Amino acid sequence: MRLKNWTFILMLGLAGCASAPKMNYYTLDMRPAATQGPEEGIVLDRLRVADALSGRNILIHTSPTKVEYYAVDQWAAGLDDLLREKLEAEFHTGSTPGKWVASGDLLDFGQEDSAQGPQACLRAVFEYRTREMGHYEEPLLRKTYEIRTPAGAGNAASVVESLSRCVEELAKAMAADTRTLPKP
């Protein structure tokens, strides 16, 4: 009798595995938008991600007080790595020593359902220091960036494309802000 029960449980388990949905993985468009040059001199230091964004699930704000995640659509890597790679592509960093060191916190990065339709939203706080300044010194500038753009069809693919554009806009705004800082 016990063997029949275990066989039945095993068959149910295998049937459940056979019907698991196929996962879709996304990354940001890492091609630079060609709007920044190496003269911006921004090097990224620390980049932290809010707890709601720390997994690989793509976030959806369904209301001002409720969040959900896409069921079968995920980021291919952590958002800290994806955002760093995209910003470095935009700033053309590599072997260039930067004038400015930017540290940031990614507070929001996903889809927001609104009366105007689905929007891609990015909210981040960045602090700027010179290379000579320590982490505990008061930054030269601390700014919150909030960028929204229409997310087209409101599916994961269109949201990710729109989020890539949001990061490009963030890079433009960061470069413009560093041009207002006193020269090191």
Side-chain angles (χ1 to χ4, degrees):
M1 183 73 156
R2 284 183 174 230
L3 184 57
K4 286 183 182 179
N5 289 340
W6 280 108
T7 304
F8 180 71
I9 291 171
L10 181 61
M11 295 303 284
L12 280 177
L14 290 174
C17 291
S19 65
K22 179 183 177 271
M23 296 299 291
N24 300 309
Y25 297 96
Y26 293 90
T27 186
L28 296 173
D29 182 350
M30 296 301 173
R31 296 173 294 185
T35 55
Q36 312 306 317
E39 70 277 357
E40 311 306 348
I42 301 172
V43 174
L44 294 174
D45 185 22
R46 174 193 50 77
L47 186 57
R48 294 185 299 200
V49 176
D51 284 345
L53 304 170
S54 63
R56 296 212 176 166
N57 297 326
I58 300 174
L59 181 78
I60 308 168
H61 290 276
T62 57
S63 78
T65 58
K66 184 178 177 187
V67 296
E68 294 178 2
Y69 297 94
Y70 277 97
V72 296
D73 301 296
Q74 293 186 341
W75 293 110
L79 282 178
D80 54 343
D81 293 332
L82 293 175
L83 188 62
R84 176 181 299 279
E85 186 178 343
K86 176 65 172 165
L87 285 172
E88 286 175 351
E90 293 299 320
F91 296 137
H92 305 287
T93 57
S95 60
T96 322
K99 299 179 205 172
W100 310 108
V101 177
S103 299
D105 295 304
L106 185 61
L107 306 174
D108 195 3
F109 196 72
Q111 177 179 325
E112 184 177 279
D113 293 339
S114 68
Q116 296 80 27
Q119 303 272 316
C121 60
L122 177 155
R123 190 165 52 96
V125 177
F126 277 92
E127 296 180 346
Y128 301 92
R129 293 176 175 82
T130 65
R131 294 180 69 75
E132 295 76 29
M133 294 174 72
H135 285 280
Y136 300 105
E137 289 183 60
E138 188 68 25
L140 297 171
L141 175 64
R142 183 176 205 274
K143 184 171 179 179
T144 301
Y145 298 91
E146 208 162 320
I147 301 165
R148 284 181 170 58
T149 187
N155 58 32
S158 62
V159 169
V160 169
E161 287 175 21
S162 297
L163 286 168
S164 292
R165 289 192 303 276
C166 286
V167 179
E168 292 165 3
E169 291 300 314
L170 172 65
K172 282 187 218 176
M174 290 173 72
D177 287 336
T178 58
R179 286 192 285 273
T180 66
L181 296 175
K183 301 293 177 209

